[in-house]
Amino acid sequence: MITSEEIKRRLWDGANELRGSMDASRYKDYMLGLMFYKFLSDKTLDAFKTSARLGKIKEEELVREYKKASEDYGEILYGTIQKVLGYYVDPEYLYQTWIGDINSGDFEVQKVTDSLHNFERSISIGSGTDDFKGLFSNSTIDLTDTALGSNLNERSKNIQALIMLFADLNMVSLQKGDILGDAYEYLIGQFAMESGKKAGEFYTPHQVSEVMAQIVSKSSEIESIYDPTVGSGSLLLTVGKHLEKDEQKNLSYYGQEKNTATYNLTRMNLLLHGVRPEKMTVRNGDTLSHDWPEDPEKPNEGIQFDAVVMNPPYSVKKWNRVGLKISDPRFEIAGVLPPDSKGDFAFLLHGLFHLRQSGTMAIVLPHGILFRGGAEGEIRKRLLDKNYIDTIIGLPSSLFTNTGIPVVVLILKKNRRLDEPVLVIDASKDFRKLGKQNVLEEKHIAKIVDTYMERKNQEAYSSLVYREDIIENDYNMNIPRYVVSKSEEISHDVDAHLLGGIPKRDIEGLKILNKVVPNVLKNALEEKREGYYELSKEIKELTKEIIESENVKEKSLEMETTINAYIDRYWDVLITIDKETNIKTVMEDMLSEVKEILSKFQFINIYDAYQNIAQIWKDSLTKDLELISQSDLYTAAHTREALIVTKGSGSNKREEQVGWISSIIPNELIIKRLFTTEAANIERLKEDVSEIEMKLDELVEAAKVEDSEENEILYECLTKNKEGEAGNSFVGKDVKNELKEYEKVTKEYNLLNDVKKLLSDRSTLNKLIKEEENELKEAVEERILSLTEEEIHSLVFEKWFGNLIEEMIDLIERPLKKELEMLKMLDDRYKLTLDDLDSEYKELETNFENLVSQLVRV
């Protein structure tokens, strides 16, 4: 059994190993192009198998049958396949033929080049095949490129390795489960991360696509969608994923892309995701220079769409190279042309022109479009006067690999009432740091989308802005004007600094503690003077008292009961997943429900709860349910997979099997629950080894201090570096040799003998540990095959939900602990009064004077 995650990992690891020093943005064209050709070959064979009614048949035999049929029926056979697929691959040029040549030692790079050219020729004679033309042009896949190898032999070796990377993957069956499309999209994303600034040419980060796609898919009924700067097509596909299956089948995809290699990538990506050729219209062209798509019957309107999404290049200079005028119907609404130095509004106006009256548009742009003046200010005024700007979403900086600037997502609609407010969301502070990049987690995306759907004011996060406020600000839509950040800083109290004590107003500001545990808080404070208090307990003691209070315990118990009931509702669904179950729907239901059931808990962050469930899906459920759906829970749990590790490096690098693991239950969990005695015994032996090593370390450190004869003797038995300096461990052979120099009754002999015994005991214990670990490993690997249903249930439950109750209860305790930290900070802030500081100063002054008086004048 193989999952999409394993395929992704294997392909990306292979890509990294094979591409060497070639730039990722270039290597992607070779890898993804050849992967797509394997898909075309597999689809051709599958279409032949269906038309010939061959039933179940091995691939080698199927290839032979296809070759034989092509010899007998030739153009008739090809015509039949072309009618079904829109293309065909000649038997001589199948991907499988390349593999056969590699295995027989007859492979030639020219064969691959000929195959790609033959495919181009075969579709040029068909009709309705524009979706496949030019996919393998030399500008995309040039197999003579010296970056693939400095000579023909080296290039041949590297290309063969790349071909074999996909050899055992059945692209047709993988496409049916949407695994193929997901793997392709994953590789595009990984190449984008490796490509740095060049990634902007072909990829919108998935997290940003998710924000836009979820909003667009929930805002309109969508039958057609258009991306004028389509890149790899990820934005279009992400919107499609959020529609129902029937809606996806009827969805028409439109896109335009200037870069030819990226244009080819878009078409491949859409086709691999199962988009039918008749449902995709993609053009290789400059979006701004010439309007597209045009409606021949309405030349001044253009084709309009239910949804428009785009992530255009930011602030493009000299965008108007063809001399467009304001009379261009796309820009008439603005009254002026966007400045030639910045093309941001040119892209926006193009997309808006193609938006249907009832549709929704989402576009990513730099912050400057919200406040820049001149022609851009006039365009913004026009859009706001017509009330086309529905929502402004400020995102964090460094979300994109090609720029560190913060960006905004603008949502535009044409059918808004003139009195409807603009929703402004400041999500710029919600992110997780991942290396140099910032990322939006599932909880951040969910909060943005929920806020959009509910259109609500939230302190320091979102605001509904009415026309009057916008006019008052001279149409400046800079987010901080409308969403004021909340300061975490508590203002200082002069009297408290002078005389001590925490001000009453600051105590009252601890709203959660006052609401949840008022009596506990009150009892922990003593009034120092009117309106000022001091803590009568250590904060650690107070924290323990609050967590163990009746109110908090009651809330924790309620949380435990709620989450247990929630798990129970889904447990039977999860463990009985099959091929007919829509796993994505189950995930969405679980994520949606956790927000709903926890909304009754005051003061907890439901989006943190949401993230807990999302993380379980990411870490375990997605992969495990995919495996369970291929058979059933018990078969998946009893299925063993080879544990492979990579050994050696360079030309000696090799993969080696070192054991077996269960498909879904970690060996560590089986040990923890079913082999506790054996594991505890190994742990005890390791503790004994640690004690011995501590004793040896002490002797080593003593030996380095050469202040006694005994230490000099030990020093001679230490490992030495090239300079002859002492190392950090004893050499057994040297200890034995040194022993021969002394009689048994001497203290020197006894000292060395103690070292020898410690080394011997350590060696014996390590050998015993290794033996017991091997025995335990073999026992666990055998146990996988005989796990009972009850054991499987228990182990799987712990893997999926073992920590969930604690994590959810922590959501209750977290805001309490945060306010307790604030209370401690206030206590520390006002603990030292002016009198205390004065006394401390006087004491320091006295000490200084005493020191001065003791100085002897020379």
Side-chain angles (χ1 to χ4, degrees):
M1 292 192 285
I2 190 166
T3 67
S4 57
E5 290 304 313
E6 288 163 339
I7 290 173
K8 291 173 189 175
R9 187 168 56 251
R10 192 185 91 182
L11 293 180
W12 180 242
D13 288 348
N16 270 334
E17 188 174 334
L18 296 175
R19 75 180 168 97
S21 60
M22 183 183 278
D23 184 80
S25 65
R26 185 75 187 95
Y27 189 76
K28 80 176 191 308
D29 297 332
Y30 295 99
M31 181 168 186
L32 298 177
L34 292 181
M35 182 178 175
F36 186 73
Y37 193 81
K38 175 68 160 67
F39 166 76
L40 295 174
S41 296
D42 287 0
K43 288 285 281 186
T44 297
L45 288 171
D46 187 64
F48 165 69
K49 184 174 76 170
T50 303
S51 65
R53 299 178 183 176
L54 291 177
K56 206 166 188 180
I57 183 173
K58 287 185 177 179
E59 188 176 70
E60 296 86 347
E61 192 178 340
L62 178 60
V63 172
R64 284 196 296 271
E65 288 292 331
Y66 180 43
K67 285 180 179 175
K68 185 174 181 300
S70 70
E71 292 166 3
D72 295 341
Y73 302 104
E75 295 304 318
I76 298 172
L77 173 64
Y78 299 149
T80 302
I81 295 172
Q82 195 159 34
K83 278 182 184 177
V84 175
L85 300 177
Y87 62 87
Y88 72 91
V89 178
D90 189 288
E92 183 185 351
Y93 301 117
L94 284 169
Y95 198 100
Q96 286 76 4
T97 303
W98 302 349
I99 295 169
D101 289 347
I102 290 171
N103 291 334
S104 65
D106 299 324
F107 177 81
E108 293 180 359
V109 173
Q110 188 59 41
K111 184 66 168 285
V112 177
T113 303
D114 292 345
S115 299
L116 301 180
H117 288 167
N118 183 267
F119 179 80
E120 294 291 334
R121 287 195 298 273
S122 72
I123 59 171
S124 64
I125 59 172
S127 57
T129 54
D130 285 351
D131 295 302
F132 302 96
K133 286 180 181 174
L135 281 171
F136 304 111
S137 62
N138 280 341
S139 64
T140 303
I141 302 178
D142 178 11
L143 297 179
T144 64
D145 191 339
T146 54
L148 286 167
S150 57
N151 55 58
L152 181 60
N153 185 52
E154 204 174 304
R155 287 198 296 278
S156 177
K157 184 180 175 183
N158 289 333
I159 292 164
Q160 287 181 60
L162 183 52
I163 288 168
M164 295 308 292
L165 196 58
F166 309 110
D168 63 334
L169 296 181
N170 185 324
M171 302 299 192
V172 175
S173 62
L174 291 177
Q175 188 193 40
K176 287 174 184 173
D178 208 23
I179 294 173
L180 182 61
D182 283 351
Y184 204 75
E185 188 77 15
Y186 170 80
L187 289 173
I188 292 171
Q190 291 298 107
F191 278 122
M193 287 175 65
E194 293 285 315
S195 299
K197 291 190 175 182
K198 294 179 183 177
E201 297 174 7
F202 62 88
Y203 189 67
T204 302
H206 181 68
Q207 55 205 313
V208 180
S209 294
E210 274 293 316
V211 171
M212 299 167 76
Q214 288 189 37
I215 286 174
V216 167
S217 64
K218 293 179 184 202
S219 301
S220 312
E221 288 187 10
I222 302 176
E223 293 181 2
S224 61
I225 184 169
Y226 174 43
D227 186 343
T229 55
V230 73
S232 65
S234 64
L235 250 176
L236 291 178
L237 289 164
T238 307
V239 174
K241 283 179 184 177
H242 286 282
L243 302 179
E244 297 296 327
K245 287 290 182 186
D246 290 340
E247 292 175 313
Q248 288 179 27
K249 288 176 185 174
N250 296 320
L251 183 61
S252 296
Y253 296 84
Y254 282 74
Q256 184 164 212
E257 175 54 47
K258 187 176 180 180
N259 182 290
T260 301
T262 307
Y263 158 69
N264 290 335
L265 183 60
T266 306
R267 294 185 291 163
M268 293 179 192
N269 200 9
L270 291 171
L271 290 163
L272 284 174
H273 276 86
V275 178
R276 300 193 304 276
E278 68 272 15
K279 285 293 182 183
M280 55 181 271
T281 307
V282 187
R283 179 174 179 264
N284 187 194
D286 187 328
T287 291
L288 297 182
S289 294
H290 304 285
D291 185 29
W292 182 88
E294 296 172 302
D295 186 341
E297 297 178 10
K298 301 174 183 177
N300 289 325
E301 290 185 21
I303 296 176
Q304 294 188 320
F305 302 93
D306 299 316
V308 176
V309 291
M310 60 196 303
N311 172 29
Y314 304 146
S315 302
V316 172
K317 291 178 171 58
K318 297 182 180 178
W319 66 268
N320 192 8
R321 294 178 186 274
V322 297
L324 297 170
K325 306 295 183 185
I326 191 60
S327 56
D328 187 307
R330 294 175 292 173
F331 307 125
E332 282 180 344
I333 185 178
V336 294
L337 280 177
D340 200 37
S341 60
K342 291 182 176 66
D344 301 316
F345 271 111
F347 285 108
L348 185 150
L349 292 169
H350 172 91
L352 188 62
F353 175 71
H354 286 284
L355 181 67
R356 191 162 286 158
Q357 195 67 23
S358 59
T360 302
M361 174 177 167
I363 181 170
V364 190
L365 290 170
H367 263 270
I369 57 102
L370 299 177
F371 51 80
R372 290 194 297 247
E376 291 186 305
E378 182 59 31
I379 295 169
R380 189 169 59 251
K381 180 178 182 301
R382 290 285 187 103
L383 293 173
L384 289 165
D385 282 343
K386 287 185 175 291
N387 213 19
Y388 284 169
I389 299 179
D390 177 75
T391 303
I392 297 168
I393 304 166
L395 295 178
S397 60
S398 300
L399 289 179
F400 293 74
T401 53
N402 60 317
T403 178
I405 65 169
V407 295
V408 293
V409 172
L410 258 61
I411 309 297
L412 297 103
K413 290 172 176 283
K414 289 180 175 177
N415 60 352
R416 282 164 46 82
R417 296 191 321 272
L418 286 175
D419 61 344
E420 280 189 75
V422 177
L423 175 64
V424 180
I425 299 173
D426 182 5
S428 62
K429 297 173 187 67
D430 289 353
F431 60 87
R432 180 168 68 89
K433 197 79 180 166
L434 191 64
K436 293 180 181 178
Q437 295 296 124
N438 295 330
V439 297
L440 297 177
E441 292 186 296
E442 289 82 358
K443 65 179 178 181
H444 303 134
I445 295 169
K447 186 178 179 182
I448 291 170
V449 175
D450 286 350
T451 304
Y452 172 82
M453 295 303 295
E454 294 165 17
R455 302 194 73 78
K456 58 188 179 184
N457 286 306
Q458 295 180 69
E459 184 185 7
Y461 188 76
S462 64
S463 177
L464 288 166
V465 183
Y466 287 87
R467 183 176 177 78
E468 297 78 18
D469 295 323
I470 295 170
I471 293 172
E472 188 178 323
N473 282 309
D474 198 25
Y475 293 92
N476 185 318
M477 292 303 297
N478 199 17
I479 292 172
R481 286 177 179 258
Y482 305 100
V483 182
V484 180
S485 296
K486 185 180 178 181
S487 175
E488 295 290 326
E489 182 64 30
I490 299 173
S491 59
H492 287 253
D493 184 292
V494 176
D495 284 346
H497 276 300
L498 291 172
L499 303 171
I502 304 168
K504 184 179 180 181
R505 70 167 185 274
D506 289 346
I507 302 292
E508 290 171 345
L510 304 172
K511 297 187 184 304
I512 302 173
L513 289 172
N514 278 294
K515 180 76 175 177
V516 178
V517 285
N519 293 332
V520 179
L521 179 62
K522 185 179 178 182
N523 293 336
L525 296 166
E526 286 182 2
E527 191 168 22
K528 186 168 184 177
R529 63 186 193 284
E530 188 177 350
Y532 292 86
Y533 298 82
E534 60 184 6
L535 271 174
S536 60
K537 295 180 180 178
E538 289 291 329
I539 204 74
K540 190 174 180 181
E541 181 188 348
L542 178 57
T543 301
K544 185 172 183 292
E545 192 175 335
I546 286 172
I547 298 305
E548 292 177 356
S549 67
E550 285 304 313
N551 280 0
V552 175
K553 277 186 175 179
E554 188 180 314
K555 284 290 175 192
S556 298
L557 182 59
E558 186 183 356
M559 176 66 80
E560 184 175 350
T561 304
T562 301
I563 296 303
N564 275 327
Y566 167 79
I567 294 170
D568 288 344
R569 277 194 296 281
Y570 286 100
W571 175 252
D572 287 340
V573 175
L574 295 173
I575 64 172
T576 56
I577 288 282
D578 58 30
K579 289 179 181 177
E580 304 304 314
T581 309
N582 188 325
I583 295 174
K584 181 171 169 281
T585 301
V586 176
M587 179 183 73
E588 289 172 351
D589 289 346
M590 284 186 73
L591 289 169
S592 176
E593 187 177 335
V594 79
K595 288 188 297 182
E596 183 184 333
I597 62 173
L598 296 189
S599 59
K600 65 181 179 180
F601 287 86
Q602 204 175 7
F603 305 124
I604 77 160
N605 187 330
I606 61 169
Y607 293 103
D608 284 341
Y610 182 98
Q611 187 63 38
N612 287 341
I613 302 301
Q615 202 62 46
I616 291 171
W617 276 91
K618 189 184 288 186
D619 294 343
S620 304
L621 283 174
T622 299
K623 172 181 177 285
D624 291 351
L625 296 184
E626 196 177 322
L627 289 169
I628 292 168
S629 70
Q630 294 174 28
S631 52
D632 57 65
L633 172 65
Y634 310 108
T635 303
H638 287 138
T639 300
R640 295 194 312 186
E641 297 176 354
L643 178 60
I644 306 294
V645 297
T646 302
K647 293 190 175 182
S649 60
S651 59
N652 294 322
K653 196 173 182 181
R654 67 193 185 282
E655 289 188 338
E656 198 173 291
Q657 182 179 344
V658 294
W660 297 94
I661 53 174
S662 164
S663 290
I664 61 173
I665 302 173
N667 287 15
E668 296 77 17
L669 188 54
I670 295 174
I671 291 170
K672 179 182 172 184
R673 291 295 169 222
L674 304 181
F675 292 89
T676 51
T677 304
E678 293 85 344
N681 188 48
I682 291 171
E683 197 55 42
R684 278 193 297 272
L685 291 172
K686 287 182 177 179
E687 286 172 5
D688 291 343
V689 169
S690 294
E691 284 183 23
I692 289 172
E693 287 179 340
M694 283 175 63
K695 291 176 182 177
L696 287 169
D697 287 344
E698 288 171 5
L699 289 168
V700 166
E701 291 306 312
K704 290 179 181 178
V705 182
E706 299 183 53
D707 58 355
S708 68
E709 190 177 336
E710 292 90 338
N711 289 351
E712 286 181 21
I713 292 164
L714 291 177
Y715 185 87
E716 293 303 315
C717 303
L718 290 174
T719 55
K720 309 286 198 307
N721 60 24
K722 288 180 181 178
E723 286 73 34
E725 295 170 349
N728 292 312
S729 59
F730 290 106
V731 181
K733 184 177 70 174
D734 290 345
V735 173
K736 288 179 183 177
N737 289 338
E738 194 72 22
L739 264 171
K740 295 173 185 176
E741 302 293 321
Y742 300 96
E743 294 181 13
K744 290 187 178 182
V745 292
T746 61
K747 62 180 181 180
E748 291 85 359
Y749 181 91
N750 291 334
L751 177 62
L752 288 166
N753 198 47
D754 286 345
V755 173
K756 179 187 172 186
K757 188 174 184 309
L758 287 170
L759 292 173
S760 175
D761 289 348
R762 184 178 66 177
S763 177
T764 302
L765 285 171
N766 280 332
K767 186 178 178 183
L768 185 57
I769 288 169
K770 190 171 183 180
E771 288 172 358
E772 297 210 6
E773 282 181 335
N774 285 335
E775 286 177 15
L776 178 57
K777 175 175 164 290
E778 290 171 8
V780 170
E781 290 171 352
E782 286 301 311
R783 194 74 165 81
I784 292 168
L785 303 173
S786 61
L787 290 168
T788 66
E789 288 189 10
E790 185 180 347
E791 287 169 343
I792 290 170
H793 276 232
S794 175
L795 292 166
V796 170
F797 186 92
E798 181 167 353
K799 179 188 177 185
W800 292 348
F801 304 117
N803 299 320
L804 186 59
I805 299 293
E806 289 79 4
E807 288 169 352
M808 293 302 196
I809 288 174
D810 182 60
L811 299 181
I812 292 172
E813 297 176 0
R814 203 178 293 170
L816 294 167
K817 289 176 179 176
K818 186 177 179 182
E819 286 199 352
L820 283 163
E821 286 174 10
M822 203 175 294
L823 181 61
K824 184 179 186 307
M825 180 275 291
L826 289 167
D827 187 51
D828 291 341
R829 175 188 284 183
Y830 299 121
K831 190 169 282 183
L832 279 176
T833 66
L834 185 62
D835 287 344
D836 293 330
L837 291 171
D838 192 44
S839 298
E840 191 176 321
Y841 171 76
K842 285 178 179 176
E843 185 180 344
L844 288 170
E845 189 178 49
T846 302
N847 290 338
F848 178 72
E849 288 173 354
N850 289 336
L851 285 169
V852 169
S853 67
Q854 293 173 25
L855 290 174
V856 179
R857 289 186 179 183
V858 179

